[in-house]
Amino acid sequence: MLPNEAGEVNNPLRDNIAWFLEAERQKRELPHQHMAELFKTSSGQGLAYRTYIRTMRKRNNVTLRTVEQMAQALEVSIATILVGGAKLKPWAHKLTEKSIRARLADIINSERERRKLLRYQMAELLGVSEITFTKLE
């Protein structure tokens, strides 16, 4: 996936995340800086303002761990953020980072085997590096 002239890559999940964060920010009537501060953990570690802004502008992808961190801070499920404003079945709210990763790995591996592709070929098909694919796997 290549970026367009605005530096954006067509990525529906990232669009959903950006949409949800903006809707939540407006609902809470917060400036961006204060919204980003919600994602700080108790130890002072947390989502960097730069990561938050780049996510809002659809200029980068975020990890599932980052989405989980956002969900915890906003007191919503990971699925709620990932689907944007779409309706969810009740079971989807129970998905954790670990369960989502396991399911993605199963889907990716079965699809790779079904297509009889090597790892580097599947990585290319997904538009990720081989290292990223190995992490997904």
Side-chain angles (χ1 to χ4, degrees):
M1 294 186 276
L2 297 173
N4 65 17
E5 292 174 11
E8 298 172 351
V9 175
N10 182 19
N11 182 325
L13 279 178
R14 184 175 53 207
D15 293 347
N16 290 348
I17 293 166
W19 178 91
F20 179 83
L21 290 176
E22 180 57 20
E24 195 67 19
R25 186 184 74 78
Q26 288 180 9
K27 183 172 86 176
R28 294 170 185 246
E29 299 178 352
L30 295 172
H32 288 290
Q33 186 68 38
H34 292 156
M35 185 69 173
E37 288 172 7
L38 293 177
F39 305 122
K40 299 286 185 196
T41 61
S42 57
S43 63
Q45 298 298 314
L47 186 67
Y49 177 74
R50 182 177 185 270
T51 300
Y52 164 77
I53 288 297
R54 289 184 60 82
T55 301
M56 292 294 297
R57 293 180 181 160
K58 304 176 194 174
R59 298 259 170 116
N60 70 324
N61 292 324
V62 292
T63 65
L64 193 51
R65 177 67 189 112
T66 298
V67 174
E68 181 182 50
Q69 184 179 347
M70 290 173 172
Q72 288 173 349
L74 298 172
E75 298 179 344
V76 298
S77 69
I78 294 171
T80 299
I81 294 177
L82 292 176
V83 301
K87 297 265 184 199
L88 282 171
K89 303 247 182 204
W91 62 265
H93 293 288
K94 297 177 184 169
L95 293 171
T96 63
E97 174 196 11
K98 189 175 182 178
S99 64
I100 293 170
R101 284 183 189 280
R103 182 68 182 130
L104 282 173
D106 288 345
I107 292 167
I108 289 168
N109 284 327
S110 8
E111 190 60 23
R112 183 178 70 79
E113 289 171 7
R114 185 183 74 77
R115 294 178 183 218
K116 296 179 172 61
L117 296 174
L118 298 172
R119 283 180 173 82
Y120 82 89
Q121 293 170 316
M122 189 65 176
E124 191 174 286
L125 181 66
L126 292 172
V128 298
S129 71
E130 201 169 343
I131 293 170
T132 299
F133 176 76
T134 302
K135 290 178 184 177
L136 290 172
E137 208 176 25

